[in-house]
Amino acid sequence: MEYFLTSEFWCNMLWVGLIVVCVLVFISGFFFCNKLSEVGGGGLFIALSVVAFLFISVISLLDEIKFPCLWDHYRGPVIILAKEAPLLHNYFMAVNRSLARTEEEIKKLNAEKENSAMTEAKDVYNDQIKNQENRKKELENMGYRVEQLAQRLYFSKYLTRLGNLSADSDIERELREVQEACAQLVNEE
């Protein structure tokens, strides 16, 4: 029952709907072209070209919707987490969003520190900047850890597909550990 609530199910339903629509458009285009040829207008090639163009356009749009992070700067082995460990992939994206917010906060604190004239206020800003820089290091380390784990997972799945043995249980255990660490780090905000 839970499968019906997943995005994979609805994506598959979208693909089935797309195929049905394309088949219906193709059949109606074929009958329309037959009507045109009876009238003397020929246009079978044009109608099939339009249908093929629409089909290719919709498929490319669906690929962009299905895998939006391929168009982001998170290319590479981390994309395997979207399929193999979607919760960890979501945490990885949250870690990157947190990292961006932390960097913005550091910039803002530095600007406020420069505008401040009192030494006590500058000391407070220095403490806040130090805390934010520590947070930034933690987030960067977690992002690096997830990327390294994704590379190992990708390589393990690659070897499994080739028929070689791999240490899937070790990677799955580490996936759970990293996922829990990511959850704790993201929820600290």
Side-chain angles (χ1 to χ4, degrees):
M1 183 63 181
E2 291 178 11
Y3 178 69
F4 296 114
L5 301 175
T6 63
S7 61
E8 179 184 4
F9 171 76
W10 290 107
C11 190
N12 290 338
M13 290 295 103
L14 190 63
W15 278 107
V16 169
L18 174 68
I19 291 169
V20 168
V21 166
C22 287
V23 167
L24 291 174
V25 167
F26 180 77
I27 291 172
S28 63
F30 180 74
F31 285 123
F32 178 71
C33 289
N34 280 342
K35 277 290 198 202
L36 284 179
S37 64
E38 290 174 5
V39 174
L44 178 63
F45 179 73
I46 294 171
L48 292 179
S49 298
V50 168
V51 169
F53 174 75
L54 289 174
F55 184 72
I56 290 170
S57 299
V58 170
I59 285 179
S60 64
L61 177 66
L62 286 178
D63 280 345
E64 192 170 328
I65 291 170
K66 186 175 180 180
F67 300 110
C69 53
L70 290 177
W71 282 267
D72 210 346
H73 73 279
Y74 303 115
R75 299 173 195 224
V78 173
I79 195 67
I80 195 171
L81 295 177
K83 180 180 179 189
E84 299 294 330
L87 187 58
L88 182 57
H89 184 263
N90 291 343
Y91 282 134
F92 176 74
M93 300 302 279
V95 163
N96 284 322
R97 286 190 299 272
S98 253
L99 183 60
R101 282 193 303 269
T102 303
E103 289 172 349
E104 288 298 318
E105 184 69 24
I106 290 172
K107 287 178 186 175
K108 187 178 92 174
L109 288 171
N110 279 326
E112 290 176 4
K113 181 178 115 177
E114 294 299 320
N115 293 335
S116 152
M118 298 174 49
T119 58
E120 296 86 21
K122 286 187 178 189
D123 290 340
V124 170
Y125 283 125
N126 284 334
D127 290 341
Q128 290 177 350
I129 290 171
K130 184 179 176 187
N131 290 339
Q132 290 298 322
E133 286 176 350
N134 288 338
R135 171 90 174 146
K136 180 182 173 185
K137 284 182 184 177
E138 288 177 358
L139 292 167
E140 286 173 342
N141 287 339
M142 185 56 68
Y144 179 75
R145 186 175 173 192
V146 171
E147 287 173 358
Q148 294 300 313
L149 183 59
Q151 289 174 1
R152 288 183 47 216
L153 178 66
Y154 180 82
F155 187 68
S156 173
K157 294 296 179 183
Y158 179 74
L159 289 178
T160 301
R161 286 187 197 108
L162 289 176
N164 295 333
L165 297 176
S166 64
D168 280 343
S169 61
D170 290 340
I171 290 177
E172 288 175 10
R173 178 188 47 78
E174 193 167 345
L175 277 171
R176 286 189 301 273
E177 290 173 2
V178 170
Q179 183 173 313
E180 290 170 4
C182 274
Q184 181 180 2
L185 186 62
V186 168
N187 293 330
E188 283 180 2
E189 278 188 58

